Amino acid sequence: MQYRFDYLVYIGRFQPFHLAHMQTINIALQQSQHIILALGSTQNERNIKNPFSATEREQMILSNFSEENQKRIHFVHVVDVYNDAKWVKLVKSLVSEVVQVGDKVGLIGHFKDESSYYLQLFPEWEMVELESLKGSISATPLREAYFRGDIKHAEFPLGTVQFLEKFQHTDYYQKLKAKFENQDTSNIEL
C-alpha cells in the first residue's frame, strides 16, 4: 500500500483514550506508514487532570489495536514545558529520534478550541486537519464522570473500558477520586 506519509505525529494527553482519539489514529494509519503519539504531560506526578502515567496510557492505547497496527504506533514522552518555543523544540527533538532523515512527516489533529493553537507551531510538517471531529468527544467530562464512579462505555473503545475498570481498583484511583470529590465540594458556594 502506498502511504502519503512515512510518519504522522499526533499530539495529545489521552487522559483517557476515547473514541475520537481512536478515530484519529485509524485515519492516520490509512494515510501514513507509522504514527507517532506524542504523549503530553508525562511527568511522574498524577493529578485529576493527568491521572495516568505515560506507560499506562501506552498500554491503554495499544490494547485497542491489532498486533499488526500496534507495530506501526510509536510513542514519545513529552513533559510539560510552559514555553512554546522550548516545547516545540522538545517535540521535534523527540520525533527526530524516531524518524529517519528524508522521511515525510506530517501532523494530524483538529482545531477543537483555543487550546489547539499548538497545531500551528509546526509549519514544516504538513497538517492533516480533521474537520469531521469538530465538536466531538472531550476527555474532561469523561474524567469527571470517571471520578464519580461512572465509565461512559459508549465513549470509549473496549480496551480503554477494561483499563479504566481495572484502574478503579488501584490506590491511585481512590486517592484521585478523593481529591476530585474534595475539589468538587470546595467549589460550592454556601
Side-chain angles (χ1 to χ4, degrees), residues 5 20 31 69 81 85 121 157 163:
F5 298 93
Q31 297 189 32
N69 280 338
V81 178
L121 301 177
F163 172 88

Side-chain angles (χ1 to χ4, degrees), residues 16-18 52 56 59-65 70 146 151-170 173:
F17 182 74
H18 55 62
F52 311 114
E56 289 165 345
Q59 293 166 351
M60 182 189 329
I61 292 165
L62 290 175
S63 72
N64 293 292
F65 293 93
Q70 287 178 14
Y146 182 58
I151 298 173
K152 301 287 186 190
H153 288 74
E155 308 293 343
F156 296 115
L158 180 60
T160 299
V161 169
Q162 292 169 341
F163 172 88
L164 293 173
E165 288 172 344
K166 186 176 177 184
F167 192 80
Q168 281 182 317
H169 299 287
T170 66
Y173 176 81

Side-chain angles (χ1 to χ4, degrees), residues 23-166:
Q23 181 184 6
T24 301
I25 291 175
N26 284 330
I27 292 167
L29 290 171
Q30 292 169 5
Q31 297 189 32
S32 182
Q33 178 66 40
H34 300 274
I35 182 167
I36 298 171
L37 297 182
L39 298 179
S41 301
T42 59
Q43 55 278 1
N44 291 328
E45 168 195 334
R46 292 179 195 262
N47 56 47
I48 295 165
K49 188 175 178 183
N50 298 300
F52 311 114
S53 73
T55 303
E56 289 165 345
R57 285 180 277 162
E58 285 185 21
Q59 293 166 351
M60 182 189 329
I61 292 165
L62 290 175
S63 72
N64 293 292
F65 293 93
S66 69
E67 194 173 320
E68 180 183 326
N69 280 338
Q70 287 178 14
K71 293 174 185 170
R72 297 172 58 201
I73 300 171
H74 309 271
F75 297 92
V76 295
H77 297 181
V78 184
V79 295
D80 289 338
V81 178
Y82 298 100
N83 173 299
D84 287 347
K86 288 181 181 178
W87 180 78
V88 167
K89 186 177 179 181
L90 174 61
V91 171
K92 287 180 185 177
S93 170
L94 292 167
V95 167
S96 73
E97 293 174 13
V98 178
V99 303
Q100 304 296 314
V101 175
D103 283 343
K104 183 171 183 186
V105 179
L107 182 66
I108 190 166
H110 70 105
F111 294 92
K112 75 175 179 184
D113 57 32
E114 64 280 348
S115 72
S116 304
Y117 77 93
Y118 67 87
L119 292 171
Q120 299 171 330
L121 301 177
F122 301 90
E124 67 281 6
W125 293 341
E126 183 181 334
M127 178 70 191
V128 176
E129 185 175 351
L130 302 175
E131 294 290 329
S132 64
L133 296 180
K134 291 207 173 177
S136 67
I137 304 168
S138 170
T140 302
L142 297 177
R143 272 192 314 275
E144 291 172 356
Y146 182 58
F147 289 125
R148 288 187 189 98
D150 182 20
I151 298 173
K152 301 287 186 190
H153 288 74
E155 308 293 343
F156 296 115
L158 180 60
T160 299
V161 169
Q162 292 169 341
F163 172 88
L164 293 173
E165 288 172 344
K166 186 176 177 184

